[in-house]
Amino acid sequence: MTENVTQAIAVRDNGPAAQIEQYRDEYAALMPSHVNPDQWVRMAVGAIRGDVKLVQAAQNDIGAFLRELRTAARLGLEPGTEQFYLTPRKTKGRVVIKGIVGYQGIVELIYRAGAVSSVIVEVVRTHDTFRYVIGRDGKPVHEIDWFGDDRGDMVGVYAYAVMKDGATSKVVVLNRRQVMEAKAKSDSRNSEYSPWNTNEESMWLKTAVRRLAKWVPTSAEYMREQLRAQAEVAGELTGSASAPLPPQPSVELDDEDDGPIDGELEPEGGWPDVAQPGTAA
């Protein structure tokens, strides 16, 4: 009996949640300064413990799971939420964890840049009233009967930002056909775990806000320029326009992939080797 309990504890301690705790400091080193590492780790642990399918997928390839969390940590997004989905994904015959940046995650990156005061992204349904003429209207007029029993099917989606100087960004408007074209480019569209199948409205919103992100500053590009400008004002750059700045994540927002939206950024000294379940860390 004692031996069985000891074995059960060993298995538990090598599970995905324990691995997150083990690499807490490495994740914390990647996070933007405004993110609370303790809260982030609690959310990650809670997300994996709250879903049996996620636990199994993570155990199938614990290294892949921890690498997906690394992307969430570097972006400063909350894992297991609409900022950063954790979804099972079948790869080479087995189910593993895939991290997917959600529409709220992209909105967060836009806000974090500091150039916008608000981001509006909404789905338009059959019984809504929607008016927008390019060149005439500054922004769409979208009227919704909030007390109606049924707004109807989704027929379109739009997104725009109000900048801090009061200007309105480019307005992105997509109809159903355009959203379906974006969906067709997703390699996960046929997966039962894909947000396209589990939370379709959020993916319509994401399709629009990804397009919007091409027209407004995102955290990487905008903050890099802000840092340079601040340094110039402070006299910290000695006339060299190419003086090095702290590394910033590079955000790519194309429509062809619903996975992580930027490249890797290794912590100083590299990422530690990840122990597989049942092995020593």
Side-chain angles (χ1 to χ4, degrees), residues 55-281:
V55 172
Q56 183 60 58
Q59 289 174 335
N60 287 341
D61 191 336
I62 194 70
F65 167 58
L66 295 177
R67 287 192 295 273
E68 296 300 283
L69 285 183
R70 177 175 59 180
T71 299
R74 182 168 27 78
L75 291 173
L77 301 180
E78 299 173 347
T81 71
E82 288 191 341
Q83 287 191 2
F84 193 89
Y85 294 104
L86 295 174
T87 65
R89 180 75 58 83
K90 196 168 187 177
T91 302
K92 296 181 179 179
R94 63 175 178 170
V95 178
V96 300
I97 293 291
K98 176 72 172 178
I100 299 177
V101 178
Y103 87 93
Q104 290 186 2
I106 300 175
V107 170
E108 168 65 17
L109 293 176
I110 293 173
Y111 273 122
R112 199 181 299 166
V116 308
S117 60
S118 62
V119 177
I120 294 86
V121 53
E122 295 285 349
V123 163
V124 180
R125 293 181 175 270
T126 306
H127 299 152
D128 297 350
T129 297
F130 181 83
R131 296 188 300 274
Y132 177 65
V133 177
I134 297 177
R136 185 195 71 184
D137 302 328
K139 61 188 68 173
V141 175
H142 184 196
E143 298 176 358
I144 300 171
D145 179 5
W146 294 111
F147 303 105
D149 293 333
D150 181 13
R151 288 176 56 196
D153 295 332
M154 293 184 290
V155 295
V157 63
Y158 65 96
Y160 66 91
V162 178
M163 314 305 288
K164 285 193 171 177
D165 63 3
T168 300
S169 73
K170 176 181 176 65
V171 179
V172 172
V173 181
L174 303 173
N175 60 26
R176 170 176 283 276
R177 177 185 57 79
Q178 292 169 309
V179 174
M180 292 301 102
E181 287 175 352
K183 178 182 178 179
K185 296 176 182 178
S186 168
D187 61 5
S188 72
R189 64 188 182 279
N190 296 322
S191 168
E192 63 178 303
Y193 307 113
S194 170
W196 278 110
N197 297 315
T198 62
N199 195 349
E200 185 181 12
E201 182 171 336
S202 73
M203 294 305 290
W204 282 57
L205 296 169
K206 178 181 176 179
T207 302
V209 81
R210 284 182 84 100
R211 303 282 179 93
L212 174 65
K214 297 177 181 179
W215 298 94
V216 298
T218 52
S219 56
E221 61 181 287
Y222 189 76
M223 291 306 294
R224 186 180 295 115
E225 294 305 315
Q226 291 299 301
L227 287 169
R228 186 177 298 282
Q230 292 169 13
E232 288 175 342
V233 170
E236 295 173 4
L237 295 183
T238 58
S240 173
S242 59
L245 291 170
Q248 299 290 325
S250 174
V251 180
E252 298 295 339
L253 299 173
D254 59 73
D255 294 307
E256 297 184 0
D257 179 25
D258 61 0
I261 57 177
D262 66 348
E264 297 291 349
L265 186 66
E266 296 288 341
E268 185 176 356
W271 191 259
D273 292 334
V274 176
Q276 297 296 325
T279 65

Side-chain angles (χ1 to χ4, degrees), residues 4-25:
N4 290 338
V5 172
T6 301
Q7 290 175 346
I9 292 174
V11 171
R12 181 193 65 192
D13 288 346
N14 279 307
Q19 292 278 347
I20 297 170
E21 297 280 4
Q22 178 179 344
Y23 290 106
R24 178 195 177 283
D25 291 344

